Amino acid sequence: MPPGDPQNVPRGGRFIGASSGAFLDQMAADIYLQDIWTSQGVLYRVAVACVGWGLSVAMIQRTEAHEPGHPGPWVTANGLRHWLIVHDPGQQMVGVPVVPNPLPNHTPPGEGTFWVNGVLTIGPKLPWHHRLTLRVQPERGEYARLHYHKHEPRKDHRPDPPPIMPKNRGKHYVFDEIVYSTQLQNCRRAMPRQ
């Protein structure tokens, strides 16, 4: 399959990298509600920003693309935060089950209000050391299919996410939910509907 063409994730999911959670205001924004290469008009994505060490917030961002593959500036849409459905059963064990977590995180589930890169942002909290599942439900009933588009590697700890890789070099996975969990750092796995 040519690079950049959509691939459905396998039943066991696909590791899609680390999440933001160690550097204040750093944002990961590589999960889209549409295929960025073929869609135009109003586009949406899921962004996650670090708001404190070990704590991130999820948000919906929107933009307009006058032609496929060329989105305009992204803006946080607090009014669409109800699209984000997060299941947080609490803190997970890390490593050997009999060893307590060396960095406990007892952040309660739910929404939080934070300043992210100078913008007041309201959204679900995503604490490290919790196994979280995030789905997007724009309208009543059906959950959205999500699109991961690989971005360029991050070269620093600046807030803005790096740009999307060109289609001929990138990866594009289609899936239903994101599972956030912890290995040595917080990581993400794209999962199909079970």
Side-chain angles (χ1 to χ4, degrees):
M1 181 171 292
D5 282 358
Q7 298 176 40
N8 287 318
V9 299
R11 182 173 168 81
R14 180 163 313 277
F15 180 74
I16 57 173
S19 61
S20 59
F23 300 97
L24 189 62
D25 285 340
Q26 190 175 63
M27 186 178 294
D30 50 8
I31 307 298
Y32 299 84
L33 275 65
Q34 298 95 349
D35 180 343
I36 202 79
W37 301 117
T38 61
S39 300
Q40 61 187 50
V42 178
L43 304 178
Y44 299 96
R45 71 181 182 184
V46 176
V48 174
C50 176
V51 293
W53 192 87
L55 180 62
S56 298
V57 62
M59 67 201 83
I60 294 288
Q61 292 187 321
R62 70 180 299 279
T63 191
E64 288 194 34
H66 298 293
E67 59 183 276
H70 298 283
W74 292 91
V75 177
T76 299
N78 285 324
L80 300 179
R81 68 185 182 274
H82 64 280
W83 289 10
L84 298 169
I85 311 299
V86 175
H87 176 67
D88 180 1
Q91 188 168 333
Q92 76 179 78
M93 295 300 290
V94 177
V96 182
V98 296
V99 177
N101 188 328
L103 299 168
N105 191 336
H106 301 292
T107 303
E111 284 190 348
T113 302
F114 307 96
W115 285 102
V116 176
N117 300 317
V119 176
L120 185 68
T121 303
I122 306 167
K125 296 177 281 186
L126 306 176
W128 272 24
H129 304 303
H130 288 225
R131 185 176 173 87
L132 308 159
T133 303
L134 183 144
R135 298 180 100 184
V136 180
Q137 188 176 25
E139 304 299 331
R140 294 184 188 264
E142 288 297 313
Y143 288 102
R145 297 281 290 165
L146 303 173
H147 298 261
Y148 166 80
H149 289 287
K150 188 166 180 67
H151 282 226
E152 296 286 350
R154 191 179 288 276
K155 294 183 170 86
D156 55 34
H157 301 299
R158 298 177 67 184
D160 295 328
I164 301 171
M165 292 181 104
K167 183 177 180 180
N168 63 354
R169 290 188 13 234
K171 293 182 179 157
H172 176 186
Y173 301 125
V174 182
F175 55 98
D176 299 296
E177 62 188 29
I178 308 165
V179 175
Y180 293 86
S181 59
T182 304
Q183 294 172 332
L184 296 176
Q185 65 183 36
N186 228 31
C187 59
R188 306 172 299 164
R189 178 172 290 279
M191 296 294 293
R193 186 169 292 130
Q194 300 293 325

